[in-house]
Amino acid sequence: MSDKEHRYSDTLWRLYQRPAPPQPWVDGGNLPWNEPAFAQRMLKEHLDQSHGAASRVAAERELQIDWLRDKLEVTVGDQMLDMTCGPGLYAVEFARQGCQVTGVDFSPSAIAYARDFAERQGVSASCSFLEQDVRTATFAPAWYDASLFLYGQLAVFRREEASALLQEIAKALKPGARLVIELLNQERVDKGHSSWWFTDDKGLWGDRPFLHLGERTWLAEEKIAVEEFTIIDLETADSIEINLSDQTYAAPEMEQMLRAAGFSAVDVYEQWDGLPLYDASEWIVYVAWK
Ligand SMILES: C[S@@+](CC[C@H](N)C(=O)[O-])C[C@H]1O[C@@H](n2cnc3c(N)ncnc32)[C@H](O)[C@@H]1O
């Protein structure tokens, strides 16, 4: 067999011998958001207005921002912390509306875009974008008036990490300040098992011919969805394997975690409180008060 045939064969045997059920959080349990080439390709998805898979499209974001401003009661001069801010699409708008915003994200391309976007919008003096893993970021105590944690990213962390993060955010907020967290509604999460494949030569998974193999498993006891992807470069036979784990929470459990982290009250909004977002029915939004 040639080297290339060996590589194909190794990949397929590894796939055949994969643990079943899968182990969550193997190899990080997240997409490689902070890997430079992937981050660059992902940035295109964030900005693509034909879908809302990475960031919601502009028209939906505007509705969300109005809702968030109302629920967070932010006013001019308020300090806002945007956890996993991506390319700053929310942060820069809040800065345009008079907030001082700190955005944290570990994607180099997203942070570079956010800084440039703030500059282009004339609000770079009101924005600070940190390229950092939110799990290791620390903040000045009792400094912020409001915080965002949007599009389900708290769920990609293990329960202990999520609790520690909530505590860190609570510490960073002033008394009376609020945090908005958006998480998938556990009741509506797909609890089936599925597998799929497709080929392409462009997009998120690469810019050469590749085969993408995917499998989704619901771990009923732990309430975790695990997606496993194998992407095989058909020119080189190199492959990458990605394990994407999503911890889901029942609403009472999340409320309890928020209180344990230091929040005194929690409001729960199903389906984005009726906002007409394309996937609103899949989400619960928590507004937690320090
Ligand atoms: C679905 S995107 C949402 C981005 C943004 N909140 C929005 O809605 O436009 C998730 C973001 O989380 C970031 N992210 C994931 N895990 C992270 C971590 N451990 N530390 C910092 N950022 C992280 C990714 O880089 C990505 O920009």
Side-chain angles (χ1 to χ4, degrees):
M1 264 201 289
S2 68
D3 283 356
K4 197 169 161 181
E5 285 163 340
H6 267 298
R7 284 198 291 280
Y8 277 134
S9 169
D10 287 350
T11 302
L12 296 179
W13 273 111
R14 247 191 340 274
L15 202 53
Y16 178 73
Q17 291 163 334
R18 71 197 180 285
Q23 304 234 321
W25 286 290
V26 171
D27 298 328
N30 198 352
L31 293 174
W33 298 96
N34 53 343
E35 192 270 301
F38 185 85
Q40 194 55 41
R41 293 197 296 269
M42 182 58 91
L43 178 61
K44 285 201 190 115
E45 305 300 324
H46 280 290
L47 303 178
D48 187 335
Q49 292 301 297
S50 70
H51 68 79
S55 288
R56 290 196 172 81
V57 297
E60 294 194 349
R61 224 163 40 233
E62 278 172 31
L63 297 173
Q64 288 179 301
I65 288 172
D66 286 347
W67 190 91
L68 291 165
R69 197 181 46 242
D70 187 39
K71 295 295 177 226
L72 290 166
E73 289 188 8
V74 284
T75 52
V76 171
D78 275 0
Q79 294 285 345
M80 177 178 270
L81 176 63
D82 186 354
M83 300 292 270
T84 66
C85 63
L89 305 174
Y90 295 80
V92 169
E93 184 52 32
F94 275 107
R96 273 172 29 87
Q97 296 185 15
C99 293
Q100 300 289 317
V101 187
T102 305
V104 189
D105 201 289
F106 69 177
S107 157
S109 302
I111 289 295
Y113 182 90
R115 287 178 182 148
D116 181 59
F117 184 37
E119 184 88 41
R120 283 186 279 123
Q121 295 293 315
V123 290
S124 55
S126 308
C127 293
S128 165
F129 288 108
L130 312 176
E131 186 185 327
Q132 213 175 335
D133 191 317
V134 289
R135 290 168 294 183
T136 53
T138 53
F139 306 101
W143 177 255
Y144 293 97
D145 301 283
S147 179
L148 302 175
F149 211 142
L150 298 179
Y151 231 179
Q153 283 307 294
L154 187 71
V156 302
F157 305 124
R158 296 168 190 271
R159 265 200 172 81
E160 323 76 86
E161 289 175 328
S163 293
L165 256 170
L166 294 178
Q167 281 171 39
E168 191 59 36
I169 298 171
K171 259 197 335 206
L173 291 177
K174 293 176 186 163
R178 292 166 210 184
L179 160 69
V180 171
I181 302 192
E182 178 188 16
L183 285 169
L184 285 173
N185 184 339
Q186 190 183 70
E187 288 174 14
R188 290 176 171 264
V189 166
D190 172 9
K191 301 185 179 70
H193 181 271
S194 52
S195 57
W196 63 86
W197 64 270
F198 64 88
T199 57
D200 208 337
D201 57 8
K202 60 186 167 317
L204 192 54
W205 301 108
D207 46 16
R208 289 205 298 245
F210 63 83
L211 168 65
H212 173 119
L213 303 161
E215 185 170 36
R216 180 186 166 92
T217 310
W218 171 249
L219 302 178
E221 205 168 311
E222 302 98 316
K223 310 270 188 284
I224 295 170
V226 181
E227 288 190 329
E228 294 168 289
F229 308 138
T230 299
I231 297 102
I232 306 173
D233 182 321
L234 298 177
E235 282 180 6
T236 63
D238 290 332
S239 63
I240 53 167
E241 286 153 38
I242 292 170
N243 168 311
L244 179 53
S245 302
D246 252 294
Q247 177 70 62
T248 68
Y249 297 93
E253 184 188 2
M254 182 43 58
E255 283 184 64
Q256 208 281 324
M257 272 173 71
L258 285 161
R259 286 174 197 276
F263 291 92
S264 58
V266 184
D267 291 336
V268 180
Y269 298 90
E270 290 196 13
Q271 308 195 17
W272 264 100
D273 201 20
L275 288 190
L277 312 181
Y278 85 103
D279 59 348
S281 64
E282 295 174 26
W283 299 92
I284 294 190
V285 183
Y286 300 85
V287 180
W289 308 51
K290 176 76 186 300

